[in-house]
């Protein structure tokens, strides 16, 4: 069940009157209404673990968790020739942007969203350009973009993120994280995740988080820098290989006693255990630099 | 690609004797699963070979007579020697022992074990296969040539549509396609230079995968990136 209402942006007509004088006030009013962005707000009552899907060609998508058992979608298309379809099917809410005619210019397809969801919501977001920001959502999440950057904060669940050129930043994320890109860079800050798989071709990867016991952390790129920050209390088995680049290490590693490592014949590599070796860390680059540094 | 400990173990294994006390086995064989499996297999093979020897059936006497006649007829043995062969053969414990009786058992066992070790490591995976750059290169080319051709065909068949394209998205797709193409050519160069380099091969396959994904996205949007 949804409720919605259109809220045209109110221009400051007063100032306009001063500028334009008293000539054709009706025309001015009409242009002010049609040129301004349209704000459309809709509400959907949902049960536990709702699924929200969002398909948008371009725009800023901001998703935040709240305590209500409902989904609120506020959309702001940049053109009146674009509409937002938001429909509820059971416990799923589908949101998509649609052109009202074939003559709509690409720039006019841009639509911004502000969406509030229950904490346990599952998200599926597709946004080609612009940005995607998600905060405090604990359900599983799949985000796909081309050029749009993705910022996650205090999220959990199974997170899969795929971009072509968009960057990815994850702040205080937990759960399982899988992220891939071609040229996007990744920043994984203060993570509390037991499984991280990150792969980019030319982007940089920064990991500054906890290596949890029994966790697996696999970071791979083609070029660029892979930087891992560790603290003295961390415990991990490290495998770092750069085929044509350098491996710089500040960790005092001891020969691994946990498993059999085959010494590499190719490139620069190091293997070893830090403390008890409870987590498994694999860093791989083709011709990039790998830095294993102490956390400040 | 094997560790130094594995190499040391193999050196030790060359002088291994089936009568070796279990306590003399290196610690490495207990900690390393592949090496432990090799040692275990060898012991099992030795046990099996011993049982073969014990249960060897005696071939009928006319076999040796026919064999001697045939060898004499072909001039491969002299009569005087052949006179000595028959009693030796008959008195031997079995045909297996007669054929290889001239070699001391430990030599045979060692040769057999060395052969098995070589075979075991050769079959254990591409990391340990013998050096043969041409074969590796050929194998990689066989695997990647159809891929490359299909991807090039797909790329050329990206037909422009009447639909207006988002400039930011198109630019990103173009830029990243160029990155992946460059990435593929660099990986191909690395594989050409070091055909046995499994890391370079993995990167090459991944680059093809990325290009396929990218072209699928382009195709999905009906965009032409030529």
């Amino acid at each position: 069940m949804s409720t919605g209402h259109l809220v045209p942006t109110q221009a400051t007509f007063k100032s306009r009157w001063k500028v334009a004088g008293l000539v054709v006030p009706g025309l001015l009013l009409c242009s002010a209404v049609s040129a301004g962005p349209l704000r459309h707000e809709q509400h959907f009552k949902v049960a536990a673990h709702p699924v929200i899907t969002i398909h948008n060609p371009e725009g800023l998508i901001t998703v935040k968790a709240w305590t209500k058992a409902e989904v609120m979608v506020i959309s702001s298309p940049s053109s009146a020739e674009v509409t937002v379809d938001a429909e509820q099917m059971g416990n799923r809410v589908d949101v998509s942007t649609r052109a009202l005619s074939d003559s709509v210019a690409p720039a006019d397809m841009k639509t911004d969203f502000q969406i509030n969801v229950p904490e346990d919501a599952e998200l599926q977001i597709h946004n080609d350009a612009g940005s995607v920001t998600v905060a405090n959502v604990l359900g599983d999440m799949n985000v796909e973009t081309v050029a749009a950057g993705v910022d996650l904060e205090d999220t959990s669940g199974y997170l899969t993120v795929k971009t072509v050129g968009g960057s990815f930043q994850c702040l205080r994320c937990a759960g399982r994280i899988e992220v891939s890109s071609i040229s996007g860079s990744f920043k994984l800050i203060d993570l509390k995740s037991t499984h991280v798989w990150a792969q980019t071709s030319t982007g940089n990867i920064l990991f500054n988080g906890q290596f949890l016991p029994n966790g697996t952390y696999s970071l791979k790129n083609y070029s660029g820098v892979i930087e891992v920050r560790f603290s003295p209390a961390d415990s991990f088995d490290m495998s770092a290989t750069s085929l044509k680049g350098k491996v710089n290490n500040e960790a005092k590693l001891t020969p691994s006693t946990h498993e059999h490592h085959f010494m590499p014949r190719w490139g620069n590599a190091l293997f070893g255990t830090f403390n008890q070796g409870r987590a498994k860390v694999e860093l791989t680059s083709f011709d990039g630099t790998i830095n294993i540094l102490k956390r400040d | 690609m094997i560790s130094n400990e594995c190499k040391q173990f193999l050196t030790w294994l060359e002088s291994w004797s089936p009568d070796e006390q279990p306590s003399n086995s290196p610690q490495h064989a207990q900690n390393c699963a592949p090496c432990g499996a090799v040692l275990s297999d060898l012991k099992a093979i030795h046990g099996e070979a011993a049982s073969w020897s014990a249960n060897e059936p005696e071939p009928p006497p006319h076999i040796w007579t026919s064999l001697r006649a045939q060898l004499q007829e072909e001039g491969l043995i002299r009569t005087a020697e052949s006179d000595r062969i028959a009693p030796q053969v008959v008195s031997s414990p079995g045909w297996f022992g007669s054929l290889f009786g001239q070699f001391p058992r430990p030599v045979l066992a060692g040769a057999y074990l060395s052969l098995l070790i070589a075979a075991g490591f050769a079959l254990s995976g591409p990391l340990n296969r013998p050096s043969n750059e041409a074969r590796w290169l050929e194998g990689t080319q066989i695997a990647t040539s159809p891929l490359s051709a299909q991807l090039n065909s797909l790329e050329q068949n990206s037909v422009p549509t009447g639909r207006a394209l988002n400039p930011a998205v198109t630019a990103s797709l173009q830029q990243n396609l160029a990155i992946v193409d460059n990435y593929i050519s660099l990986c191909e160069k690395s594989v050409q230079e070091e055909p046995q380099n499994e890391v370079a091969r993995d990167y090459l396959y991944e680059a093809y995968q990325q290009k396929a994904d990218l072209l699928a996205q382009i195709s999905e949007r009906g965009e032409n990136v030529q």
Side-chain angles (χ1 to χ4, degrees), chain A residues 58 106 126 128 146 164 182-183 199 201-202 220-222 243-244 260 262-266 284-286, chain B residues 1-2 6 32 127 164-166 169 176 179 183 186-187 190 194 196-198 203 206 210 217 221:
Chain A
E58 183 181 1
H126 190 123
D128 284 346
V146 175
V164 174
I182 293 175
S183 60
Q199 182 168 337
S201 293
T202 57
K220 186 173 187 178
N221 71 4
Y222 179 85
L243 196 61
K244 296 182 186 294
H260 183 89
F262 286 103
M263 292 301 289
R265 281 185 300 174
W266 318 103
T284 316
S285 185
F286 190 85
Chain B
M1 195 158 59
I2 61 173
C6 290
C32 171
L127 300 182
L165 309 176
N166 184 322
V169 173
N176 283 284
I179 287 170
Y183 176 15
L186 289 171
C187 289
S190 275
E194 296 175 313
Q196 290 174 272
N197 187 332
E198 64 271 16
Y203 270 97
E206 280 174 11
Q210 283 192 337
Q217 288 200 42
R221 287 168 178 77

Side-chain angles (χ1 to χ4, degrees), chain A residues 49-56 61 63 91-96 115 117 121-127 132 134 137 139-145 158-161:
Chain A
H49 305 294
V51 177
I52 293 94
T53 71
I54 303 159
H55 277 258
N56 188 44
I61 297 178
V63 183
N91 207 29
R92 191 183 80 230
V93 177
D94 297 325
V95 181
S96 60
I115 299 174
V117 300
E122 178 184 325
L123 301 177
Q124 294 174 19
I125 302 173
H126 190 123
N127 191 41
V132 176
V134 181
V137 178
D140 295 346
M141 203 175 300
N142 173 255
V143 184
E144 291 189 13
T145 78
Y158 186 175
L159 313 177
T160 53
V161 178

Side-chain angles (χ1 to χ4, degrees), chain A:
Chain A
M1 190 68 79
S2 74
T3 56
H5 48 269
L6 277 172
V7 186
T9 301
Q10 296 299 317
T12 53
F13 296 125
K14 208 171 182 178
S15 61
R16 294 198 179 199
W17 282 116
K18 285 179 182 174
V19 175
L22 297 173
V23 185
V24 283
L27 276 176
L28 265 179
L29 179 64
C30 288
S31 66
V33 170
S34 62
L38 300 173
R39 184 176 181 274
H40 192 199
E41 181 175 323
Q42 289 175 285
H43 293 255
F44 304 91
K45 296 284 184 194
V46 290
H49 305 294
V51 177
I52 293 94
T53 71
I54 303 159
H55 277 258
N56 188 44
E58 183 181 1
L60 312 178
I61 297 178
T62 305
V63 183
K64 288 180 180 172
W66 65 2
T67 54
K68 296 178 185 175
E70 69 174 43
V71 174
M72 180 181 75
V73 179
I74 299 174
S75 55
S76 304
S78 60
S79 163
E81 291 185 272
V82 171
T83 189
V84 171
D85 296 327
E87 293 176 339
Q88 183 167 18
M89 299 287 290
N91 207 29
R92 191 183 80 230
V93 177
D94 297 325
V95 181
S96 60
T97 306
R98 179 168 57 90
L100 292 173
S101 74
D102 289 340
S103 60
V104 177
D108 290 338
M109 288 295 289
K110 183 179 175 185
T111 303
D112 295 339
F113 288 93
Q114 184 191 325
I115 299 174
N116 286 68
V117 300
E119 266 190 347
D120 61 354
E122 178 184 325
L123 301 177
Q124 294 174 19
I125 302 173
H126 190 123
N127 191 41
D128 284 346
S131 72
V132 176
T133 304
V134 181
N136 300 107
V137 178
L138 306 181
D140 295 346
M141 203 175 300
N142 173 255
V143 184
E144 291 189 13
T145 78
V146 175
V150 180
D151 286 344
L152 307 182
E153 199 174 305
D154 296 303
T155 59
S156 185
Y158 186 175
L159 313 177
T160 53
V161 178
K162 190 174 180 181
T163 79
V164 174
S167 61
F168 171 67
Q169 179 167 304
C170 210
L171 184 63
R172 294 183 300 273
C173 296
R176 185 183 175 97
I177 299 170
E178 293 183 1
V179 53
S180 66
S181 178
I182 293 175
S183 60
S185 289
F186 307 151
K187 284 185 178 176
L188 311 169
I189 312 290
D190 292 336
L191 292 195
K192 291 179 180 174
S193 173
T194 52
H195 175 94
V196 177
W197 180 87
Q199 182 168 337
T200 177
S201 293
T202 57
N204 300 326
I205 303 176
L206 167 65
F207 181 98
N208 190 352
Q210 289 181 28
F211 294 111
L212 298 177
N214 303 317
T216 57
Y217 304 86
S218 174
L219 313 178
K220 186 173 187 178
N221 71 4
Y222 179 85
S223 57
V225 176
I226 296 177
E227 184 172 312
V228 169
R229 296 269 174 176
F230 67 93
S231 68
D234 283 338
S235 172
F236 53 81
D237 241 2
M238 172 67 73
S239 157
T241 306
S242 182
L243 196 61
K244 296 182 186 294
K246 289 181 180 175
V247 179
N248 302 315
N249 175 39
E250 290 183 354
K252 288 184 180 172
L253 302 175
T254 56
S256 176
T257 55
H258 279 64
E259 61 183 277
H260 183 89
H261 281 304
F262 286 103
M263 292 301 289
R265 281 185 300 174
W266 318 103
N268 300 308
L270 68 88
F271 297 122
T273 300
F274 190 75
N275 289 332
Q276 295 79 32
R278 288 186 177 140
K280 184 176 179 182
V281 182
E282 287 184 354
L283 313 176
T284 316
S285 185
F286 190 85
D287 66 2
T289 300
I290 296 175
N291 293 325
I292 303 159
L293 307 174
K294 288 176 185 169
R295 195 174 296 150
D296 296 329

Side-chain angles (χ1 to χ4, degrees), chain B residues 154 157-159 161 163 173 212-224:
Chain B
L154 185 60
N157 290 335
S158 295
V159 179
T161 65
R163 207 174 89 185
L173 291 171
D213 287 347
L214 200 51
L215 290 175
Q217 288 200 42
I218 290 165
S219 177
E220 205 175 84
R221 287 168 178 77
E223 299 203 17
N224 178 37

Side-chain angles (χ1 to χ4, degrees), chain B residues 23 30 37 40 50 61 72 94 98 105 109 111 120 127 139 160 171 177 198 220 224:
Chain B
S23 57
Q30 293 167 30
S40 170
Q72 283 174 347
S98 303
R105 279 270 176 179
L127 300 182
L177 191 59
E198 64 271 16
E220 205 175 84
N224 178 37

